[in-house]
Amino acid sequence: MATGPGPRNTAPLPSSFDENADFYNENTIDKIWRRFREEPLVPLGCGLTVWAIVGATRSMRQGDHKMTNMYFRRRLYAQAFTIAVLVAGNLYWKKDRMKRKDYEKMVAEKDRMDKRGRWLKELEMRDEEDKAWKDRMAKRTRGATEEAKGVTDLVAEKTKELKDQVVNGK
């Protein structure tokens, strides 16, 4: 009776290319809205700068040099406001960003350890499967040698019987 090595393990292999869900949780739009909620004055400063540039462009086309200079000064103030808001927001949110980075590191470490644990479990399962297969093969080999040994013993016994019959029969 020749059977195969046994059922194959059909579980998927752990991979270093497993999808990292945390990486994909925040898309670009979500990030923009989060940053807008964190620092709502920065887009306001950008909007004021665009408004000043558009106003300067219109006044240049009309040939009004006084208004053009005024819009350029407003553009300068709007850009200074935007930079000041960026710096202030960065200082204000610095602690939160550090906490977020620490949290993300902690989550990444936990995920890495979970992945490592799954990988080790898979390796242990494969090792057990390999040992079981080797044991089955060893038993099969021992069974074949015991059968061969049994046949040899039977031939030897039969030969001895025939010799005894020949010797006693003469």
Side-chain angles (χ1 to χ4, degrees), residues 119-160:
W119 180 247
L120 289 175
K121 185 177 177 182
E122 178 70 22
L123 288 176
E124 288 171 358
M125 287 174 33
R126 287 173 180 261
D127 189 42
E128 289 174 15
E129 187 179 277
D130 192 42
K131 286 179 183 178
W133 182 80
K134 285 180 181 179
D135 288 344
R136 285 195 306 269
M137 290 296 113
K139 285 179 184 177
R140 187 180 293 168
T141 305
R142 276 188 300 223
T145 56
E146 288 173 6
E147 275 184 28
K149 184 178 178 184
V151 169
T152 306
D153 290 341
L154 286 174
V155 169
E157 286 176 24
K158 201 65 162 166
T159 307
K160 186 176 179 184

mmCIF file of all heavy atoms in Angstrom, residues 119-160:
data_model
loop_
_atom_site.group_PDB
_atom_site.id
_atom_site.type_symbol
_atom_site.label_atom_id
_atom_site.label_comp_id
_atom_site.label_asym_id
_atom_site.label_seq_id
_atom_site.Cartn_x
_atom_site.Cartn_y
_atom_site.Cartn_z
ATOM 1 N N TRP A 119 5.201 34.424 11.343
ATOM 2 C CA TRP A 119 6.233 33.757 10.561
ATOM 3 C C TRP A 119 6.839 32.591 11.360
ATOM 4 O O TRP A 119 7.020 31.498 10.832
ATOM 5 C CB TRP A 119 7.312 34.756 10.158
ATOM 6 C CG TRP A 119 8.416 34.151 9.355
ATOM 7 C CD1 TRP A 119 9.704 33.990 9.721
ATOM 8 C CD2 TRP A 119 8.325 33.611 8.034
ATOM 9 N NE1 TRP A 119 10.417 33.388 8.732
ATOM 10 C CE2 TRP A 119 9.604 33.143 7.674
ATOM 11 C CE3 TRP A 119 7.290 33.474 7.126
ATOM 12 C CZ2 TRP A 119 9.860 32.550 6.455
ATOM 13 C CZ3 TRP A 119 7.570 32.886 5.902
ATOM 14 C CH2 TRP A 119 8.839 32.435 5.584
ATOM 15 N N LEU A 120 7.145 32.824 12.642
ATOM 16 C CA LEU A 120 7.708 31.759 13.478
ATOM 17 C C LEU A 120 6.710 30.618 13.647
ATOM 18 O O LEU A 120 7.099 29.439 13.606
ATOM 19 C CB LEU A 120 8.124 32.307 14.845
ATOM 20 C CG LEU A 120 9.353 33.214 14.837
ATOM 21 C CD1 LEU A 120 9.583 33.797 16.216
ATOM 22 C CD2 LEU A 120 10.579 32.463 14.363
ATOM 23 N N LYS A 121 5.437 30.949 13.809
ATOM 24 C CA LYS A 121 4.410 29.914 13.927
ATOM 25 C C LYS A 121 4.351 29.081 12.649
ATOM 26 O O LYS A 121 4.266 27.850 12.703
ATOM 27 C CB LYS A 121 3.057 30.564 14.204
ATOM 28 C CG LYS A 121 1.953 29.580 14.460
ATOM 29 C CD LYS A 121 0.663 30.301 14.791
ATOM 30 C CE LYS A 121 -0.458 29.306 14.985
ATOM 31 N NZ LYS A 121 -1.726 29.985 15.265
ATOM 32 N N GLU A 122 4.416 29.762 11.513
ATOM 33 C CA GLU A 122 4.407 29.048 10.221
ATOM 34 C C GLU A 122 5.631 28.143 10.103
ATOM 35 O O GLU A 122 5.536 27.004 9.659
ATOM 36 C CB GLU A 122 4.370 30.051 9.071
ATOM 37 C CG GLU A 122 4.414 29.432 7.702
ATOM 38 C CD GLU A 122 3.147 28.697 7.328
ATOM 39 O OE1 GLU A 122 2.082 28.983 7.913
ATOM 40 O OE2 GLU A 122 3.216 27.840 6.435
ATOM 41 N N LEU A 123 6.785 28.643 10.525
ATOM 42 C CA LEU A 123 7.994 27.818 10.461
ATOM 43 C C LEU A 123 7.889 26.608 11.379
ATOM 44 O O LEU A 123 8.310 25.506 11.019
ATOM 45 C CB LEU A 123 9.226 28.655 10.826
ATOM 46 C CG LEU A 123 9.676 29.675 9.792
ATOM 47 C CD1 LEU A 123 10.836 30.490 10.340
ATOM 48 C CD2 LEU A 123 10.064 29.015 8.496
ATOM 49 N N GLU A 124 7.322 26.805 12.570
ATOM 50 C CA GLU A 124 7.145 25.683 13.496
ATOM 51 C C GLU A 124 6.184 24.652 12.914
ATOM 52 O O GLU A 124 6.432 23.447 13.007
ATOM 53 C CB GLU A 124 6.641 26.192 14.847
ATOM 54 C CG GLU A 124 7.686 26.939 15.632
ATOM 55 C CD GLU A 124 7.118 27.622 16.860
ATOM 56 O OE1 GLU A 124 5.884 27.554 17.092
ATOM 57 O OE2 GLU A 124 7.919 28.241 17.596
ATOM 58 N N MET A 125 5.095 25.135 12.300
ATOM 59 C CA MET A 125 4.149 24.203 11.673
ATOM 60 C C MET A 125 4.824 23.424 10.555
ATOM 61 O O MET A 125 4.641 22.208 10.431
ATOM 62 C CB MET A 125 2.938 24.972 11.127
ATOM 63 C CG MET A 125 2.013 25.465 12.196
ATOM 64 S SD MET A 125 0.638 26.522 11.639
ATOM 65 C CE MET A 125 0.221 25.921 10.041
ATOM 66 N N ARG A 126 5.620 24.112 9.752
ATOM 67 C CA ARG A 126 6.323 23.425 8.661
ATOM 68 C C ARG A 126 7.340 22.428 9.206
ATOM 69 O O ARG A 126 7.513 21.351 8.646
ATOM 70 C CB ARG A 126 7.017 24.441 7.760
ATOM 71 C CG ARG A 126 6.054 25.200 6.900
ATOM 72 C CD ARG A 126 6.762 26.308 6.141
ATOM 73 N NE ARG A 126 5.827 27.014 5.332
ATOM 74 C CZ ARG A 126 5.658 26.794 4.036
ATOM 75 N NH1 ARG A 126 6.367 25.898 3.419
ATOM 76 N NH2 ARG A 126 4.771 27.487 3.358
ATOM 77 N N ASP A 127 8.002 22.808 10.313
ATOM 78 C CA ASP A 127 8.970 21.897 10.922
ATOM 79 C C ASP A 127 8.267 20.645 11.446
ATOM 80 O O ASP A 127 8.748 19.526 11.237
ATOM 81 C CB ASP A 127 9.710 22.616 12.054
ATOM 82 C CG ASP A 127 10.878 21.806 12.585
ATOM 83 O OD1 ASP A 127 11.609 21.220 11.755
ATOM 84 O OD2 ASP A 127 11.055 21.760 13.820
ATOM 85 N N GLU A 128 7.130 20.823 12.111
ATOM 86 C CA GLU A 128 6.372 19.675 12.598
ATOM 87 C C GLU A 128 5.898 18.808 11.443
ATOM 88 O O GLU A 128 5.968 17.572 11.511
ATOM 89 C CB GLU A 128 5.174 20.149 13.426
ATOM 90 C CG GLU A 128 5.550 20.742 14.757
ATOM 91 C CD GLU A 128 4.350 21.321 15.477
ATOM 92 O OE1 GLU A 128 3.198 21.017 15.085
ATOM 93 O OE2 GLU A 128 4.564 22.074 16.441
ATOM 94 N N GLU A 129 5.435 19.438 10.378
ATOM 95 C CA GLU A 129 4.982 18.703 9.200
ATOM 96 C C GLU A 129 6.144 17.918 8.588
ATOM 97 O O GLU A 129 5.988 16.758 8.204
ATOM 98 C CB GLU A 129 4.419 19.701 8.193
ATOM 99 C CG GLU A 129 3.757 19.077 7.003
ATOM 100 C CD GLU A 129 3.211 20.144 6.082
ATOM 101 O OE1 GLU A 129 2.101 20.625 6.359
ATOM 102 O OE2 GLU A 129 3.907 20.483 5.104
ATOM 103 N N ASP A 130 7.309 18.549 8.523
ATOM 104 C CA ASP A 130 8.490 17.887 7.975
ATOM 105 C C ASP A 130 8.912 16.701 8.845
ATOM 106 O O ASP A 130 9.246 15.636 8.327
ATOM 107 C CB ASP A 130 9.635 18.900 7.854
ATOM 108 C CG ASP A 130 10.797 18.372 7.034
ATOM 109 O OD1 ASP A 130 10.529 17.727 5.990
ATOM 110 O OD2 ASP A 130 11.954 18.603 7.441
ATOM 111 N N LYS A 131 8.878 16.882 10.166
ATOM 112 C CA LYS A 131 9.229 15.787 11.072
ATOM 113 C C LYS A 131 8.247 14.634 10.933
ATOM 114 O O LYS A 131 8.660 13.465 10.921
ATOM 115 C CB LYS A 131 9.259 16.279 12.520
ATOM 116 C CG LYS A 131 10.462 17.116 12.847
ATOM 117 C CD LYS A 131 10.413 17.592 14.287
ATOM 118 C CE LYS A 131 11.594 18.499 14.604
ATOM 119 N NZ LYS A 131 11.527 19.009 15.978
ATOM 120 N N ALA A 132 6.960 14.936 10.842
ATOM 121 C CA ALA A 132 5.953 13.882 10.676
ATOM 122 C C ALA A 132 6.185 13.137 9.365
ATOM 123 O O ALA A 132 6.088 11.902 9.314
ATOM 124 C CB ALA A 132 4.556 14.488 10.714
ATOM 125 N N TRP A 133 6.484 13.863 8.308
ATOM 126 C CA TRP A 133 6.750 13.222 7.020
ATOM 127 C C TRP A 133 7.981 12.321 7.103
ATOM 128 O O TRP A 133 7.972 11.208 6.600
ATOM 129 C CB TRP A 133 6.937 14.299 5.954
ATOM 130 C CG TRP A 133 7.178 13.739 4.584
ATOM 131 C CD1 TRP A 133 6.246 13.248 3.720
ATOM 132 C CD2 TRP A 133 8.439 13.594 3.933
ATOM 133 N NE1 TRP A 133 6.837 12.814 2.572
ATOM 134 C CE2 TRP A 133 8.200 13.013 2.678
ATOM 135 C CE3 TRP A 133 9.742 13.890 4.292
ATOM 136 C CZ2 TRP A 133 9.206 12.727 1.779
ATOM 137 C CZ3 TRP A 133 10.741 13.609 3.390
ATOM 138 C CH2 TRP A 133 10.475 13.038 2.163
ATOM 139 N N LYS A 134 9.039 12.811 7.749
ATOM 140 C CA LYS A 134 10.251 12.000 7.905
ATOM 141 C C LYS A 134 9.968 10.751 8.734
ATOM 142 O O LYS A 134 10.484 9.670 8.424
ATOM 143 C CB LYS A 134 11.369 12.826 8.549
ATOM 144 C CG LYS A 134 11.999 13.817 7.600
ATOM 145 C CD LYS A 134 13.104 14.605 8.288
ATOM 146 C CE LYS A 134 13.715 15.617 7.322
ATOM 147 N NZ LYS A 134 14.760 16.404 7.954
ATOM 148 N N ASP A 135 9.150 10.881 9.786
ATOM 149 C CA ASP A 135 8.784 9.708 10.594
ATOM 150 C C ASP A 135 8.016 8.689 9.755
ATOM 151 O O ASP A 135 8.276 7.477 9.842
ATOM 152 C CB ASP A 135 7.944 10.121 11.806
ATOM 153 C CG ASP A 135 8.751 10.835 12.868
ATOM 154 O OD1 ASP A 135 10.008 10.746 12.827
ATOM 155 O OD2 ASP A 135 8.121 11.493 13.729
ATOM 156 N N ARG A 136 7.069 9.168 8.942
ATOM 157 C CA ARG A 136 6.320 8.240 8.074
ATOM 158 C C ARG A 136 7.252 7.542 7.101
ATOM 159 O O ARG A 136 7.140 6.337 6.867
ATOM 160 C CB ARG A 136 5.237 8.998 7.317
ATOM 161 C CG ARG A 136 4.046 9.365 8.149
ATOM 162 C CD ARG A 136 2.855 9.795 7.308
ATOM 163 N NE ARG A 136 3.138 10.859 6.361
ATOM 164 C CZ ARG A 136 3.005 12.156 6.620
ATOM 165 N NH1 ARG A 136 2.597 12.542 7.796
ATOM 166 N NH2 ARG A 136 3.287 13.055 5.704
ATOM 167 N N MET A 137 8.189 8.295 6.532
ATOM 168 C CA MET A 137 9.134 7.684 5.583
ATOM 169 C C MET A 137 10.042 6.673 6.295
ATOM 170 O O MET A 137 10.344 5.606 5.760
ATOM 171 C CB MET A 137 9.993 8.773 4.907
ATOM 172 C CG MET A 137 9.240 9.653 3.945
ATOM 173 S SD MET A 137 8.616 8.734 2.539
ATOM 174 C CE MET A 137 6.863 8.842 2.833
ATOM 175 N N ALA A 138 10.449 7.007 7.519
ATOM 176 C CA ALA A 138 11.308 6.085 8.281
ATOM 177 C C ALA A 138 10.540 4.809 8.618
ATOM 178 O O ALA A 138 11.079 3.699 8.508
ATOM 179 C CB ALA A 138 11.813 6.759 9.551
ATOM 180 N N LYS A 139 9.276 4.944 9.016
ATOM 181 C CA LYS A 139 8.459 3.765 9.309
ATOM 182 C C LYS A 139 8.279 2.921 8.062
ATOM 183 O O LYS A 139 8.346 1.688 8.109
ATOM 184 C CB LYS A 139 7.093 4.183 9.857
ATOM 185 C CG LYS A 139 7.137 4.655 11.277
ATOM 186 C CD LYS A 139 5.760 5.069 11.747
ATOM 187 C CE LYS A 139 5.807 5.645 13.149
ATOM 188 N NZ LYS A 139 4.492 6.119 13.587
ATOM 189 N N ARG A 140 8.034 3.593 6.943
ATOM 190 C CA ARG A 140 7.858 2.866 5.685
ATOM 191 C C ARG A 140 9.142 2.123 5.330
ATOM 192 O O ARG A 140 9.101 0.967 4.909
ATOM 193 C CB ARG A 140 7.489 3.845 4.577
ATOM 194 C CG ARG A 140 7.130 3.142 3.279
ATOM 195 C CD ARG A 140 6.756 4.095 2.196
ATOM 196 N NE ARG A 140 5.503 4.768 2.548
ATOM 197 C CZ ARG A 140 5.033 5.829 1.917
ATOM 198 N NH1 ARG A 140 5.714 6.334 0.916
ATOM 199 N NH2 ARG A 140 3.916 6.382 2.274
ATOM 200 N N THR A 141 10.293 2.779 5.507
ATOM 201 C CA THR A 141 11.577 2.147 5.201
ATOM 202 C C THR A 141 11.826 0.980 6.154
ATOM 203 O O THR A 141 12.261 -0.094 5.722
ATOM 204 C CB THR A 141 12.720 3.180 5.308
ATOM 205 O OG1 THR A 141 12.415 4.273 4.454
ATOM 206 C CG2 THR A 141 14.041 2.581 4.902
ATOM 207 N N ARG A 142 11.549 1.171 7.459
ATOM 208 C CA ARG A 142 11.715 0.078 8.429
ATOM 209 C C ARG A 142 10.790 -1.071 8.098
ATOM 210 O O ARG A 142 11.173 -2.236 8.196
ATOM 211 C CB ARG A 142 11.427 0.577 9.840
ATOM 212 C CG ARG A 142 12.605 1.243 10.492
ATOM 213 C CD ARG A 142 12.262 1.521 11.925
ATOM 214 N NE ARG A 142 11.083 2.400 11.915
ATOM 215 C CZ ARG A 142 10.916 3.444 12.681
ATOM 216 N NH1 ARG A 142 11.805 3.739 13.583
ATOM 217 N NH2 ARG A 142 9.855 4.193 12.597
ATOM 218 N N GLY A 143 9.562 -0.762 7.687
ATOM 219 C CA GLY A 143 8.611 -1.813 7.313
ATOM 220 C C GLY A 143 9.124 -2.603 6.125
ATOM 221 O O GLY A 143 9.008 -3.826 6.073
ATOM 222 N N ALA A 144 9.710 -1.923 5.161
ATOM 223 C CA ALA A 144 10.245 -2.611 3.978
ATOM 224 C C ALA A 144 11.429 -3.488 4.363
ATOM 225 O O ALA A 144 11.557 -4.618 3.874
ATOM 226 C CB ALA A 144 10.654 -1.595 2.919
ATOM 227 N N THR A 145 12.298 -2.979 5.253
ATOM 228 C CA THR A 145 13.456 -3.802 5.659
ATOM 229 C C THR A 145 13.002 -4.969 6.516
ATOM 230 O O THR A 145 13.553 -6.070 6.421
ATOM 231 C CB THR A 145 14.506 -2.962 6.423
ATOM 232 O OG1 THR A 145 13.881 -2.335 7.539
ATOM 233 C CG2 THR A 145 15.135 -1.924 5.527
ATOM 234 N N GLU A 146 11.966 -4.759 7.360
ATOM 235 C CA GLU A 146 11.453 -5.866 8.171
ATOM 236 C C GLU A 146 10.798 -6.896 7.287
ATOM 237 O O GLU A 146 10.920 -8.102 7.509
ATOM 238 C CB GLU A 146 10.475 -5.342 9.225
ATOM 239 C CG GLU A 146 11.161 -4.586 10.343
ATOM 240 C CD GLU A 146 10.171 -3.939 11.295
ATOM 241 O OE1 GLU A 146 8.946 -4.173 11.146
ATOM 242 O OE2 GLU A 146 10.627 -3.205 12.174
ATOM 243 N N GLU A 147 10.081 -6.447 6.234
ATOM 244 C CA GLU A 147 9.496 -7.394 5.279
ATOM 245 C C GLU A 147 10.586 -8.172 4.576
ATOM 246 O O GLU A 147 10.490 -9.394 4.418
ATOM 247 C CB GLU A 147 8.665 -6.651 4.226
ATOM 248 C CG GLU A 147 7.262 -6.355 4.637
ATOM 249 C CD GLU A 147 6.496 -5.719 3.504
ATOM 250 O OE1 GLU A 147 6.819 -5.964 2.326
ATOM 251 O OE2 GLU A 147 5.549 -4.975 3.806
ATOM 252 N N ALA A 148 11.631 -7.474 4.147
ATOM 253 C CA ALA A 148 12.735 -8.150 3.467
ATOM 254 C C ALA A 148 13.410 -9.121 4.428
ATOM 255 O O ALA A 148 13.765 -10.246 4.054
ATOM 256 C CB ALA A 148 13.743 -7.139 2.948
ATOM 257 N N LYS A 149 13.571 -8.700 5.677
ATOM 258 C CA LYS A 149 14.177 -9.574 6.684
ATOM 259 C C LYS A 149 13.273 -10.781 6.922
ATOM 260 O O LYS A 149 13.743 -11.923 7.027
ATOM 261 C CB LYS A 149 14.382 -8.802 7.988
ATOM 262 C CG LYS A 149 15.091 -9.586 9.057
ATOM 263 C CD LYS A 149 15.293 -8.730 10.284
ATOM 264 C CE LYS A 149 15.966 -9.539 11.379
ATOM 265 N NZ LYS A 149 16.098 -8.763 12.604
ATOM 266 N N GLY A 150 11.959 -10.558 6.962
ATOM 267 C CA GLY A 150 11.016 -11.661 7.145
ATOM 268 C C GLY A 150 11.082 -12.650 5.998
ATOM 269 O O GLY A 150 11.051 -13.869 6.201
ATOM 270 N N VAL A 151 11.193 -12.165 4.768
ATOM 271 C CA VAL A 151 11.288 -13.036 3.598
ATOM 272 C C VAL A 151 12.589 -13.839 3.651
ATOM 273 O O VAL A 151 12.611 -15.060 3.392
ATOM 274 C CB VAL A 151 11.202 -12.211 2.293
ATOM 275 C CG1 VAL A 151 11.551 -13.043 1.090
ATOM 276 C CG2 VAL A 151 9.818 -11.607 2.152
ATOM 277 N N THR A 152 13.680 -13.170 4.054
ATOM 278 C CA THR A 152 14.963 -13.858 4.168
ATOM 279 C C THR A 152 14.895 -14.958 5.220
ATOM 280 O O THR A 152 15.389 -16.081 5.011
ATOM 281 C CB THR A 152 16.083 -12.861 4.522
ATOM 282 O OG1 THR A 152 16.076 -11.808 3.569
ATOM 283 C CG2 THR A 152 17.447 -13.533 4.532
ATOM 284 N N ASP A 153 14.263 -14.650 6.349
ATOM 285 C CA ASP A 153 14.116 -15.659 7.405
ATOM 286 C C ASP A 153 13.255 -16.823 6.935
ATOM 287 O O ASP A 153 13.564 -18.002 7.212
ATOM 288 C CB ASP A 153 13.498 -15.038 8.665
ATOM 289 C CG ASP A 153 14.448 -14.089 9.377
ATOM 290 O OD1 ASP A 153 15.668 -14.174 9.129
ATOM 291 O OD2 ASP A 153 13.967 -13.251 10.191
ATOM 292 N N LEU A 154 12.188 -16.529 6.199
ATOM 293 C CA LEU A 154 11.337 -17.600 5.677
ATOM 294 C C LEU A 154 12.105 -18.485 4.708
ATOM 295 O O LEU A 154 11.982 -19.730 4.732
ATOM 296 C CB LEU A 154 10.100 -17.011 4.981
ATOM 297 C CG LEU A 154 9.007 -16.438 5.881
ATOM 298 C CD1 LEU A 154 7.933 -15.759 5.047
ATOM 299 C CD2 LEU A 154 8.385 -17.539 6.726
ATOM 300 N N VAL A 155 12.899 -17.876 3.847
ATOM 301 C CA VAL A 155 13.695 -18.662 2.888
ATOM 302 C C VAL A 155 14.699 -19.527 3.638
ATOM 303 O O VAL A 155 14.899 -20.704 3.319
ATOM 304 C CB VAL A 155 14.389 -17.718 1.877
ATOM 305 C CG1 VAL A 155 15.415 -18.478 1.052
ATOM 306 C CG2 VAL A 155 13.370 -17.063 0.978
ATOM 307 N N ALA A 156 15.320 -18.946 4.677
ATOM 308 C CA ALA A 156 16.305 -19.706 5.458
ATOM 309 C C ALA A 156 15.623 -20.875 6.173
ATOM 310 O O ALA A 156 16.155 -22.006 6.203
ATOM 311 C CB ALA A 156 16.998 -18.795 6.458
ATOM 312 N N GLU A 157 14.455 -20.657 6.746
ATOM 313 C CA GLU A 157 13.735 -21.726 7.423
ATOM 314 C C GLU A 157 13.334 -22.827 6.437
ATOM 315 O O GLU A 157 13.456 -24.029 6.729
ATOM 316 C CB GLU A 157 12.484 -21.168 8.122
ATOM 317 C CG GLU A 157 12.772 -20.375 9.373
ATOM 318 C CD GLU A 157 11.507 -19.775 9.973
ATOM 319 O OE1 GLU A 157 10.406 -20.315 9.713
ATOM 320 O OE2 GLU A 157 11.628 -18.778 10.686
ATOM 321 N N LYS A 158 12.836 -22.402 5.296
ATOM 322 C CA LYS A 158 12.414 -23.376 4.284
ATOM 323 C C LYS A 158 13.605 -24.187 3.797
ATOM 324 O O LYS A 158 13.506 -25.407 3.620
ATOM 325 C CB LYS A 158 11.754 -22.619 3.123
ATOM 326 C CG LYS A 158 10.871 -23.443 2.273
ATOM 327 C CD LYS A 158 9.690 -23.900 3.086
ATOM 328 C CE LYS A 158 8.583 -24.359 2.176
ATOM 329 N NZ LYS A 158 7.567 -25.105 2.876
ATOM 330 N N THR A 159 14.740 -23.497 3.615
ATOM 331 C CA THR A 159 15.949 -24.195 3.183
ATOM 332 C C THR A 159 16.378 -25.213 4.237
ATOM 333 O O THR A 159 16.751 -26.345 3.911
ATOM 334 C CB THR A 159 17.082 -23.173 2.926
ATOM 335 O OG1 THR A 159 16.617 -22.182 2.028
ATOM 336 C CG2 THR A 159 18.307 -23.840 2.364
ATOM 337 N N LYS A 160 16.340 -24.821 5.512
ATOM 338 C CA LYS A 160 16.717 -25.714 6.607
ATOM 339 C C LYS A 160 15.780 -26.930 6.662
ATOM 340 O O LYS A 160 16.222 -28.069 6.843
ATOM 341 C CB LYS A 160 16.683 -24.956 7.927
ATOM 342 C CG LYS A 160 17.182 -25.754 9.092
ATOM 343 C CD LYS A 160 17.206 -24.905 10.341
ATOM 344 C CE LYS A 160 17.690 -25.754 11.501
ATOM 345 N NZ LYS A 160 17.645 -25.034 12.744
#
